[in-house]
Amino acid sequence: MPEDLPADTVHAYVKFAGRSARQHGFPDADVTLATSFDKARWSDLNVSLVLRVRNKSSWKVLLTRLASKQSDQECDLLSHERDDYVLEAMKSRFRGVGEHLRPSSALSMIAFAIVHEIPEIVIAGMSLDQTGHEYNDLNMERKHGPEDRDALRAVAALHPHVKTTEPSLSQATGLPLYRAAAGD
């Protein structure tokens, strides 16, 4: 990551990427996309705002939405809503591209930012060349490679304001490399 980021930077982390961010000297997340929330596994992270992916609607989700206020620190994102964000931002759901039904959670967060018109999006720490995650305490293999590759190629073709700090990701997808502007 560049050392100098604009003052209005929002740090959005996917799942446990806040652990990697901390190892590299970056601040806690402003918003975290989580697919599960086991307090014991999250106890070492300072998580303030959470966008929680849920597989399907339930009475609990419906009641939470009805009772929600702007000050709530957690919001549910149902799987079909996640897919709709990807479709709107990238013009495909990328089904049938690989073994998985959809691109990864990281691509969902990127789609969310695109649809909500974030003016500059910088993807850092993502690789299509490596398996696993740096923060991965369960030693789980990285999934969604083919889906993410195609989705990021669509992002590169449709959204020039989305950039990456990773040269290999830029080469594989066509995303422009991020260069901090003078004075930022």
Side-chain angles (χ1 to χ4, degrees):
M1 280 289 293
E3 290 183 20
D4 297 321
L5 293 169
D8 61 351
T9 296
V10 172
H11 291 86
Y13 302 142
V14 176
K15 297 180 182 176
F16 298 102
R19 291 182 181 144
S20 295
R22 181 182 302 137
Q23 290 172 358
H24 294 285
F26 288 96
D28 292 329
D30 295 304
V31 63
T32 300
L33 183 128
T35 54
S36 65
F37 202 85
D38 172 357
K39 284 189 179 195
R41 288 197 61 219
W42 289 83
S43 64
D44 64 323
L45 293 172
N46 183 10
V47 178
S48 55
L49 297 175
V50 177
L51 185 59
R52 185 175 310 180
V53 175
R54 301 221 186 247
N55 287 332
K56 59 183 177 181
S57 187
S58 67
W59 284 107
K60 179 182 175 186
V61 171
L62 178 61
L63 292 174
T64 300
R65 284 185 171 187
L66 291 173
S68 292
K69 301 173 199 67
Q70 288 294 335
S71 62
D72 287 349
Q73 294 184 334
E74 183 175 326
C75 179
D76 290 316
L77 179 66
L78 300 176
S79 289
H80 75 274
E81 294 167 326
R82 171 185 175 174
D83 293 342
D84 290 345
Y85 275 111
V86 170
L87 178 62
E88 185 173 337
M90 302 166 200
K91 309 303 179 211
S92 175
R93 288 194 170 97
F94 304 97
R95 292 195 170 134
V97 170
E99 296 178 25
H100 299 281
L101 186 61
R102 63 182 52 88
S104 69
S105 298
L107 270 293
S108 298
M109 184 65 110
I110 293 164
F112 186 83
I114 289 168
V115 171
H116 288 284
E117 300 179 355
I118 302 301
E120 183 174 40
I121 301 166
V122 180
I123 303 167
M126 185 175 186
S127 172
L128 296 174
D129 304 329
Q130 299 173 359
T131 61
H133 303 290
E134 184 178 61
Y135 61 79
N136 185 356
D137 57 346
L138 296 179
N139 199 28
M140 294 168 50
E141 189 172 318
R142 185 187 190 288
K143 301 175 184 176
H144 309 278
E147 297 86 356
D148 284 2
R149 183 178 313 275
D150 281 6
L152 287 168
R153 286 178 177 156
V155 169
L158 298 166
H159 305 287
H161 68 290
V162 180
K163 300 174 175 86
T164 183
T165 60
E166 311 302 321
S168 66
L169 191 62
S170 175
Q171 287 181 329
T173 63
L175 286 167
L177 278 173
Y178 174 76
R179 307 251 189 257
D184 282 347

